Amino acid sequence: MEQVFMFPLQQHIGMRSVPIVQKGDTVKRGQLIAAAASEALGSNIFSSVSGVVEIVTDTAIEIIASEQQSLEFIRLQSTESWDLIREAGIVGLGGAGFPTYAKLSRPFSGEGVVIANASECEPILAHNIAAIEEDAGKLVRGLEIAMDIVHAAKGIIAIKEIHEKAIRKLRDVVTDSRIVLHVLPNSYPVGEERAIVREVLGRLLETDQLPLAAAAIVINAESLCKVQEAVDDKKPFIDKDVTVAGKIKGELIQVFRNVPLGLPVRALLERAGGLQDEYGELIMGGPFMGHRTERDAPIVKTTGGIIAAETFLKGPDTIGLLVCACGGDQARLEQLAASMGSEVVAVEFCKQAKRMKNGTRKCENPGICPGQVQKVLAIKKAGAQGILISNCTDCSNTVMSCAPQLKLPVYHCTDGALRAVNHKLVRRIKT
């Protein structure tokens, strides 16, 4: 049976990539199939398989993979490190996919630091830590390359305290005196970019400030591993590490290394043992910030996890939403409420969820939140019989302390994902 790989042309922040292949073209693994838009923020896209181009549209390229595949790939052509990173199509793999070359485009004029974000921020996701445990040297080497490009005086690897084995592996391989480890507390969302800067450098950035305001660059751990591959191995970004978890017939949490981009979610689930007969939804990403996906969707550059969630809890007839900037947004919570069979009668936002110019919200101090009593009272007054929240560890704790007194059952945007892995973790998970 032929295997179709799909490559969306928008897998990153910036302009959509431009196809450079046509229907019927024969391509090889590692071949450029869509180029970054000229003179604009963007990202190259390469085929992860050898095969024949079947469909080219304004939004995606589909390739029918050949029966015989090899791990070999067409090597990058550039010679300088920054050019190789740009050519390779590397983007941020812990968030929205900001092109990595753009982060490294302006060298520091004085003291500067590159921070490797190895926090593995969301619960369940495990692929970043698994990669470090397997080969910590790749991350360290990628960090050194990034530091050299921007002339950083210091490199810091930020990692949660619970990942003891990965910390030992890193300490064994760090020989560069410029690089140190910083151990993070085990809470969510300590891996958010501004939270990382606050925890590591002791500076709280404004919601509209980038880490550069603190003379810092924050790069996801897997992105730095891809930097190492691009510079040392001349490998384009064609494979992705992915966590698969939940209502599957295999182990509850599995890590798959080097999954070819464009592979259908269905095929990866089959590798994990197949879906169980009943599940609530498929989530692409983590339980907090992930979104609902389908089995026909492709693995893309920013795919961190595929979670088959538990069947939906039956919600109350009416429900209120308490939305923060560190979890599911309003649209995501409305989607979950509908799946629970509940009518939304109130929407409140965390006091620290500041609205940005583009309409999104950012937390003023990620993971360190004020009490939510007034918000919960407003939801109760609107006639809600329950409350659905998207909050971080700290904010969730404050809601859980006051809602029961008002006889409001609390549901969390992560409930389905966490119950699918271990029902005992619901509402008390600390990572």
Side-chain angles (χ1 to χ4, degrees):
M1 183 177 178
E2 65 184 26
Q3 181 74 73
V4 178
F5 284 69
M6 178 186 292
F7 301 88
L9 299 176
Q10 188 74 62
Q11 299 187 38
H12 51 270
I13 287 178
M15 296 292 291
R16 183 183 298 169
S17 303
V18 180
I20 62 170
V21 292
Q22 298 179 344
K23 177 180 171 62
D25 286 353
T26 298
V27 297
K28 294 183 178 180
R29 174 172 156 86
Q31 181 174 330
L32 183 67
I33 57 175
S38 178
E39 305 300 324
L41 183 68
S43 177
N44 289 336
I45 296 174
F46 299 80
S47 177
S48 61
V49 293
S50 297
V52 177
V53 177
E54 175 67 12
I55 296 175
V56 179
T57 69
D58 292 337
T59 59
I61 296 171
E62 294 186 18
I63 295 173
I64 298 177
S66 304
E67 289 187 11
Q68 299 297 323
Q69 294 290 328
S70 169
L71 294 179
E72 293 298 315
F73 52 85
I74 297 177
R75 280 161 171 70
L76 301 170
Q77 299 300 307
S78 300
T79 56
E80 300 298 323
S81 295
W82 185 86
D83 294 324
L84 284 162
I85 292 166
R86 182 174 186 176
E87 183 186 350
I90 302 168
V91 301
L93 304 182
F98 189 80
T100 301
Y101 75 85
K103 279 194 174 186
L104 301 175
S105 61
R106 288 186 291 177
F108 292 114
S109 56
E111 294 290 312
V113 58
V114 179
I115 304 173
N117 184 354
S119 66
E120 198 91 88
C121 186
E122 295 207 47
I124 300 176
L125 301 185
H127 51 283
N128 284 343
I129 297 304
I132 293 170
E133 291 177 350
E134 183 176 316
D135 186 0
K138 288 191 69 170
L139 170 59
V140 174
R141 170 61 179 150
L143 178 56
E144 290 173 338
I145 293 169
M147 291 167 60
D148 290 342
I149 290 174
V150 297
H151 305 157
K154 188 175 183 180
I156 299 175
I157 301 174
I159 185 168
K160 287 182 181 177
E161 59 191 359
I162 58 169
H163 302 307
E164 296 177 356
K165 181 179 178 181
I167 291 172
R168 290 196 303 271
K169 293 283 188 178
L170 286 166
R171 285 177 173 157
D172 286 343
V173 299
V174 172
T175 58
D176 191 328
S177 61
R178 299 175 300 165
I179 297 176
V180 297
L181 269 64
H182 185 99
V183 178
L184 300 167
N186 184 28
S187 62
Y188 178 87
V190 75
E192 193 269 348
E193 192 171 66
R194 287 169 49 247
I196 286 282
V197 171
R198 181 194 66 211
E199 296 294 321
V200 173
L201 302 180
R203 176 173 174 180
L204 178 60
L205 299 172
E206 298 295 328
T207 53
D208 60 352
Q209 286 184 307
L210 297 173
L212 280 174
I217 295 171
V218 180
I219 305 181
N220 170 266
E222 188 179 6
S223 298
L224 287 172
C225 290
K226 297 303 176 189
V227 165
Q228 181 275 323
E229 291 179 353
V231 174
D232 293 342
D233 305 330
K234 301 295 191 293
K235 182 180 179 180
F237 181 16
I238 50 178
D239 299 317
K240 179 79 179 68
D241 294 345
V242 182
T243 303
V244 179
K247 300 277 284 185
I248 49 181
K249 296 176 182 177
E251 295 181 26
L252 284 177
I253 301 177
Q254 302 176 50
V255 170
F256 291 86
R257 303 292 312 282
N258 296 314
V259 176
L261 296 178
L263 182 76
V265 167
R266 175 191 291 105
L268 187 56
L269 288 169
E270 290 172 356
R271 293 185 188 180
L275 280 171
Q276 294 184 18
D277 293 336
E278 293 185 356
Y279 63 95
E281 64 176 346
L282 290 177
I283 301 169
M284 181 175 285
F288 275 93
M289 300 300 291
H291 61 274
R292 188 172 295 179
T293 190
E294 304 294 337
R295 281 178 281 186
D296 288 335
I299 301 299
V300 296
K301 292 183 179 185
T302 54
T303 301
I306 300 295
I307 304 172
E310 183 58 87
T311 52
F312 289 101
L313 295 170
K314 176 65 176 71
D317 291 338
T318 58
I319 201 166
L321 310 181
L322 180 51
V323 188
C324 81
C326 302
D329 61 14
Q330 181 177 345
R332 172 66 174 149
L333 294 193
E334 289 174 341
Q335 182 186 58
L336 291 172
S339 296
M340 294 164 59
S342 299
E343 177 190 359
V344 175
V345 295
V347 179
E348 295 287 336
F349 292 88
C350 172
K351 289 182 286 187
Q352 290 194 160
K354 183 176 180 180
R355 190 176 182 87
M356 308 301 290
K357 291 181 180 179
N358 63 1
T360 62
R361 292 179 183 267
K362 280 192 175 182
C363 182
E364 293 178 335
N365 195 1
I368 302 177
C369 292
Q372 301 291 339
V373 177
Q374 291 180 338
K375 301 293 184 178
V376 175
L377 284 170
I379 288 172
K380 175 73 172 181
K381 186 177 180 179
Q385 299 169 328
I387 182 170
L388 176 60
I389 65 176
S390 61
N391 308 68
C392 66
T393 300
D394 192 26
C395 210
S396 294
N397 289 338
T398 65
V399 173
M400 293 299 296
S401 67
C402 66
Q405 300 175 33
L406 299 173
K407 297 183 179 180
L408 278 179
V410 180
Y411 304 86
H412 201 290
C413 69
T414 64
D415 275 358
L418 295 184
R419 285 190 299 119
V421 174
N422 183 345
H423 70 281
K424 294 180 181 179
L425 297 177
V426 177
R427 299 196 187 96
R428 64 183 182 85
I429 191 162
K430 296 299 182 183
T431 182

